[in-house]
Amino acid sequence: DVATFADRPVDALSGGQRQRCWIAMVLAQETDLLLLDEPTTFLDLKVQVDLLELLVSLAHTQGRTLLVVLHDLNLAAAYADRLVMMKAGRILHDGPPETVFTADNLKQVFDLDAQVIREPLAGRPVCVPVKRTVAETASFTSSAATT
Protein backbone atom coordinates (compact mmCIF):
# COMPACT_ATOMS: atom_id res chain seq x y z
CA ASP A 1 0.00 0.00 0.00
CA VAL A 2 2.70 2.51 -0.92
CA ALA A 3 1.35 3.60 -4.31
CA THR A 4 -0.36 6.58 -2.63
CA PHE A 5 3.12 7.98 -1.84
CA ALA A 6 4.32 7.93 -5.47
CA ASP A 7 3.74 11.63 -6.15
CA ARG A 8 5.21 12.86 -2.86
CA PRO A 9 8.86 13.82 -2.31
CA VAL A 10 10.72 11.47 0.02
CA ASP A 11 11.36 14.24 2.54
CA ALA A 12 7.58 14.78 2.81
CA LEU A 13 7.03 11.19 4.02
CA SER A 14 6.87 10.24 7.68
CA GLY A 15 9.37 7.76 9.11
CA GLY A 16 6.81 4.97 8.89
CA GLN A 17 5.92 5.82 5.30
CA ARG A 18 9.59 5.83 4.34
CA GLN A 19 10.09 2.49 6.05
CA ARG A 20 7.17 1.01 4.12
CA CYS A 21 8.66 2.31 0.85
CA TRP A 22 12.06 0.78 1.62
CA ILE A 23 10.41 -2.56 2.35
CA ALA A 24 8.37 -2.34 -0.87
CA MET A 25 11.60 -1.76 -2.83
CA VAL A 26 13.20 -4.80 -1.20
CA LEU A 27 10.17 -6.98 -1.93
CA ALA A 28 10.01 -5.76 -5.55
CA GLN A 29 13.43 -7.32 -6.17
CA GLU A 30 11.84 -10.76 -5.66
CA THR A 31 14.97 -12.33 -4.22
CA ASP A 32 14.89 -15.76 -2.61
CA LEU A 33 16.67 -14.43 0.48
CA LEU A 34 15.60 -11.34 2.43
CA LEU A 35 17.78 -9.85 5.15
CA LEU A 36 15.82 -7.29 7.16
CA ASP A 37 17.17 -5.34 10.13
CA GLU A 38 14.36 -3.94 12.27
CA PRO A 39 11.79 -3.71 9.43
CA THR A 40 9.03 -2.72 11.86
CA THR A 41 10.81 0.43 13.09
CA PHE A 42 8.64 3.57 12.85
CA LEU A 43 5.54 1.53 12.00
CA ASP A 44 2.26 1.54 13.91
CA LEU A 45 1.37 -1.79 15.50
CA LYS A 46 -1.27 -2.62 12.87
CA VAL A 47 1.23 -1.99 10.06
CA GLN A 48 3.86 -4.05 11.91
CA VAL A 49 1.46 -6.98 12.11
CA ASP A 50 0.45 -6.60 8.45
CA LEU A 51 4.11 -6.52 7.40
CA LEU A 52 5.09 -9.57 9.45
CA GLU A 53 2.09 -11.50 8.14
CA LEU A 54 3.13 -10.59 4.58
CA LEU A 55 6.71 -11.72 5.25
CA VAL A 56 5.58 -15.01 6.79
CA SER A 57 3.30 -15.56 3.80
CA LEU A 58 6.21 -14.97 1.39
CA ALA A 59 8.33 -17.44 3.31
CA HIS A 60 5.67 -20.13 3.48
CA THR A 61 3.96 -19.79 0.08
CA GLN A 62 6.87 -18.70 -2.12
CA GLY A 63 9.69 -20.47 -0.35
CA ARG A 64 11.61 -17.30 0.40
CA THR A 65 14.14 -17.36 3.21
CA LEU A 66 13.93 -14.48 5.65
CA LEU A 67 16.46 -13.42 8.23
CA VAL A 68 14.82 -10.71 10.30
CA VAL A 69 16.38 -8.86 13.23
CA LEU A 70 13.73 -7.75 15.71
CA HIS A 71 14.17 -6.31 19.17
CA ASP A 72 10.45 -6.55 19.86
CA LEU A 73 10.59 -9.92 21.58
CA ASN A 74 6.86 -10.60 21.40
CA LEU A 75 6.67 -9.92 17.65
CA ALA A 76 9.68 -12.16 17.11
CA ALA A 77 8.09 -15.00 19.08
CA ALA A 78 4.72 -14.51 17.41
CA TYR A 79 5.94 -14.67 13.81
CA ALA A 80 9.25 -16.53 13.69
CA ASP A 81 9.52 -20.18 12.76
CA ARG A 82 12.93 -20.17 14.40
CA LEU A 83 14.43 -17.81 16.99
CA VAL A 84 18.09 -17.11 17.58
CA MET A 85 19.04 -15.29 20.78
CA MET A 86 22.44 -13.66 20.78
CA LYS A 87 24.53 -11.93 23.40
CA ALA A 88 27.88 -10.23 22.81
CA GLY A 89 27.97 -11.55 19.24
CA ARG A 90 27.47 -15.19 20.23
CA ILE A 91 24.47 -17.42 19.64
CA LEU A 92 23.20 -18.66 22.99
CA HIS A 93 19.86 -20.18 21.94
CA ASP A 94 18.50 -21.37 18.61
CA GLY A 95 15.29 -23.20 17.81
CA PRO A 96 11.52 -22.90 17.65
CA PRO A 97 9.97 -20.09 19.73
CA GLU A 98 8.26 -22.59 22.01
CA THR A 99 11.65 -23.88 23.24
CA VAL A 100 13.84 -20.77 22.95
CA PHE A 101 11.45 -18.12 24.30
CA THR A 102 11.62 -18.89 28.02
CA ALA A 103 11.89 -16.78 31.16
CA ASP A 104 15.30 -18.29 31.92
CA ASN A 105 16.63 -17.48 28.44
CA LEU A 106 15.25 -13.93 28.56
CA LYS A 107 17.02 -13.41 31.88
CA GLN A 108 20.28 -14.91 30.61
CA VAL A 109 20.39 -13.02 27.30
CA PHE A 110 18.68 -9.71 28.09
CA ASP A 111 18.84 -9.61 31.92
CA LEU A 112 15.07 -9.29 31.74
CA ASP A 113 12.88 -10.49 34.57
CA ALA A 114 9.72 -11.70 32.85
CA GLN A 115 7.08 -14.34 32.81
CA VAL A 116 6.41 -16.17 29.58
CA ILE A 117 2.80 -17.08 29.04
CA ARG A 118 0.97 -18.60 26.07
CA GLU A 119 -1.45 -16.49 24.10
CA PRO A 120 -4.77 -18.32 24.00
CA LEU A 121 -5.46 -18.62 20.25
CA ALA A 122 -2.24 -19.95 18.70
CA GLY A 123 -0.42 -20.83 21.91
CA ARG A 124 2.61 -18.72 20.99
CA PRO A 125 4.81 -17.52 23.87
CA VAL A 126 4.41 -13.95 25.09
CA CYS A 127 6.80 -12.10 27.37
CA VAL A 128 5.31 -10.17 30.27
CA PRO A 129 7.96 -8.13 32.10
CA VAL A 130 7.92 -8.38 35.88
CA LYS A 131 7.47 -4.92 37.37
CA ARG A 132 10.27 -3.87 39.66
CA THR A 133 9.56 -2.52 43.11
CA VAL A 134 10.27 1.14 43.87
CA ALA A 135 13.45 0.12 45.76
CA GLU A 136 14.70 -1.98 42.83
CA THR A 137 13.99 0.85 40.39
CA ALA A 138 15.89 3.36 42.56
CA SER A 139 18.81 0.95 42.83
CA PHE A 140 18.79 0.39 39.06
CA THR A 141 18.65 4.14 38.35
CA SER A 142 21.56 4.95 40.67
CA SER A 143 23.71 2.07 39.38
CA ALA A 144 22.97 3.02 35.76
CA ALA A 145 24.07 6.60 36.48
CA THR A 146 27.46 5.40 37.72
CA THR A 147 28.20 3.19 34.68
Side-chain angles (χ1 to χ4, degrees), residues 16-70:
Q17 291 167 334
R18 287 182 193 184
Q19 183 76 344
R20 289 169 56 192
C21 289
W22 284 114
I23 292 166
M25 288 190 288
V26 168
L27 295 178
Q29 296 176 37
E30 297 185 353
T31 60
D32 291 334
L33 174 63
L34 295 170
L35 305 173
L36 301 170
D37 186 11
E38 293 291 338
T40 58
T41 299
F42 302 118
L43 302 178
D44 294 333
L45 183 57
K46 170 71 167 97
V47 179
Q48 290 178 26
V49 168
D50 290 346
L51 172 62
L52 290 172
E53 287 179 355
L54 171 65
L55 294 174
V56 167
S57 173
L58 290 173
H60 291 176
T61 63
Q62 296 182 10
R64 293 192 188 184
T65 300
L66 282 82
L67 181 102
V68 180
V69 175
L70 289 175

Side-chain angles (χ1 to χ4, degrees), residues 19-141:
Q19 183 76 344
R20 289 169 56 192
C21 289
W22 284 114
I23 292 166
M25 288 190 288
V26 168
L27 295 178
Q29 296 176 37
E30 297 185 353
T31 60
D32 291 334
L33 174 63
L34 295 170
L35 305 173
L36 301 170
D37 186 11
E38 293 291 338
T40 58
T41 299
F42 302 118
L43 302 178
D44 294 333
L45 183 57
K46 170 71 167 97
V47 179
Q48 290 178 26
V49 168
D50 290 346
L51 172 62
L52 290 172
E53 287 179 355
L54 171 65
L55 294 174
V56 167
S57 173
L58 290 173
H60 291 176
T61 63
Q62 296 182 10
R64 293 192 188 184
T65 300
L66 282 82
L67 181 102
V68 180
V69 175
L70 289 175
H71 288 99
D72 185 317
L73 302 176
N74 286 326
L75 284 177
Y79 288 97
D81 294 326
R82 177 176 162 195
L83 286 178
V84 174
M85 286 188 181
M86 299 180 69
K87 183 173 186 175
R90 298 187 56 140
I91 295 174
L92 296 186
H93 305 285
D94 177 4
E98 294 75 21
T99 59
V100 171
F101 202 76
T102 67
D104 289 341
N105 291 352
L106 293 171
K107 179 65 175 175
Q108 178 191 19
V109 175
F110 303 107
D111 193 27
L112 176 65
D113 293 318
Q115 292 185 358
V116 175
I117 61 173
R118 303 285 173 197
E119 63 90 3
L121 295 177
R124 289 291 206 154
V126 175
C127 166
V128 180
V130 175
K131 184 177 176 184
R132 293 186 172 137
T133 65
V134 173
E136 291 170 324
T137 303
S139 171
F140 172 76
T141 304

